[in-house]
Amino acid sequence: MMNYLYLLINIFTISIPLIRSFEPKIHYYKNFKALFLGILIAGTIFIIWDIFFTINGFWGFNSKYLTGITVFHLPIEEWMFFITVPFASVFIYEVLNYFLGPDHSVKDKHPFGISLSLILIAFGILNLDKWYTSITFLSTGLYLFYLSYVLKEKWLSKFFRAYVVILIPFFIVNGILTGTAIEEQIVWYNNAENLGIRIFTIPIEDSIYGMLLILINVHVLEKFRNSPVDSKF
């Protein structure tokens, strides 16, 4: 049974959002085309990143919790992660947009996004000797700077609002993956390539890595969505 644990985590992650996708008020299903395009684009980037890090021993997977099916050095459960997590996270983004309505606080630029991007870029530059830290902080910072300063995307405030909520299930899922409440880690990390700072069992880099993953998915959704989420406001 233990060798199905990562698979079960994926099923648990996507189950409720998938069932609620046809909720008539939110009609998440109407944007499946844009959603799956985002998953394809982001998934391709992160799979290549994942394979490179796995081959070079920056992180790896515990076979005790896996089905044993591997594609290009990655367990099939890891491939599923880049589908189930974005699907569930963007669902939260859409639900919050429906219940909380648009954020009118941002007009032509996003100072929080610009400030955060500069902090991430600086952090990445200061840690160029650590692969996970530098690539994660630099790529997220540069992408966020592009969205905030160049494109001036107004949906960013809604993204940050949603990401605070997304962190709750994100830390539950990542917590189990990194060893919380189980005997060993499902995903292990080479601490020579990260800061060694953990939130419970989770490397702090994971929260930024997750931000970039969801950010790309929301960006594609907002660009190609069929219809905006209905709002009470």
Side-chain angles (χ1 to χ4, degrees):
M1 186 64 182
M2 291 306 292
N3 60 326
Y4 289 100
L5 183 57
Y6 196 179
L7 177 64
L8 291 173
I9 290 172
N10 276 303
I11 294 172
F12 171 76
T13 300
I14 201 172
S15 57
I16 295 177
L18 185 60
I19 293 170
R20 301 296 292 181
S21 292
F22 300 93
E23 160 67 43
K25 292 181 180 178
I26 301 171
H27 46 67
Y28 191 44
Y29 70 94
K30 288 188 176 180
N31 290 304
F32 272 4
K33 185 176 181 180
L35 175 67
F36 288 123
L37 179 61
I39 289 174
L40 177 63
I41 293 172
T44 301
I45 296 170
F46 277 81
I47 286 291
I48 293 172
W49 179 346
D50 208 342
I51 291 172
F52 176 77
F53 269 39
T54 302
I55 290 176
N56 286 282
F58 300 152
W59 59 46
F61 305 91
N62 188 339
S63 59
K64 178 179 179 180
Y65 301 104
L66 306 174
T67 57
I69 303 173
T70 301
V71 180
F72 294 119
H73 304 280
L74 297 181
I76 192 68
E77 295 90 341
E78 184 73 353
W79 287 76
M80 293 174 63
F81 177 91
F82 297 110
I83 298 173
T84 60
V85 170
F87 189 96
S89 298
V90 178
F91 176 78
I92 293 173
Y93 171 80
E94 290 288 83
V95 170
L96 289 176
N97 289 345
Y98 172 76
F99 283 106
L100 300 181
D103 187 336
H104 299 292
S105 63
V106 178
K107 301 302 181 184
D108 298 323
K109 57 184 179 180
H110 201 292
F112 177 76
I114 295 172
S115 301
L116 180 59
S117 67
L118 294 176
I119 292 171
L120 294 173
I121 292 170
F123 226 81
I125 292 174
L126 291 172
N127 291 280
L128 290 175
D129 58 329
K130 299 178 177 61
W131 278 86
Y132 189 22
T133 308
S134 59
I135 290 181
T136 302
F137 280 73
L138 280 173
S139 56
T140 307
L142 290 171
Y143 190 61
L144 187 55
F145 185 82
Y146 174 68
L147 294 174
S148 305
Y149 186 76
V150 180
L151 297 184
K152 299 178 174 62
E153 296 287 5
K154 294 182 178 179
W155 50 263
L156 273 173
S157 56
K158 295 186 295 182
F159 168 81
F160 289 125
R161 179 178 68 187
Y163 192 65
V164 173
V165 178
I166 291 169
L167 281 175
I168 298 172
F170 180 81
F171 279 122
I172 294 173
V173 169
N174 248 34
I176 298 172
L177 291 176
T178 53
T180 299
I182 59 177
E183 290 184 357
E184 302 173 26
Q185 300 173 349
I186 297 175
V187 182
W188 56 262
Y189 295 82
N190 178 352
N191 285 333
E193 304 299 341
N194 61 54
L195 293 172
I197 301 172
R198 300 212 174 204
I199 305 173
F200 302 107
T201 56
I202 305 167
I204 195 168
E205 287 84 354
D206 277 15
S207 61
I208 308 302
Y209 179 92
M211 177 186 290
L212 180 60
L213 174 63
I214 307 308
L215 195 56
I216 295 174
N217 277 274
V218 171
H219 184 194
V220 175
L221 176 77
E222 290 291 358
K223 188 172 181 60
F224 296 103
R225 67 160 67 248
N226 290 326
S227 61
V229 175
D230 289 343
S231 172
K232 290 179 177 179
F233 302 90

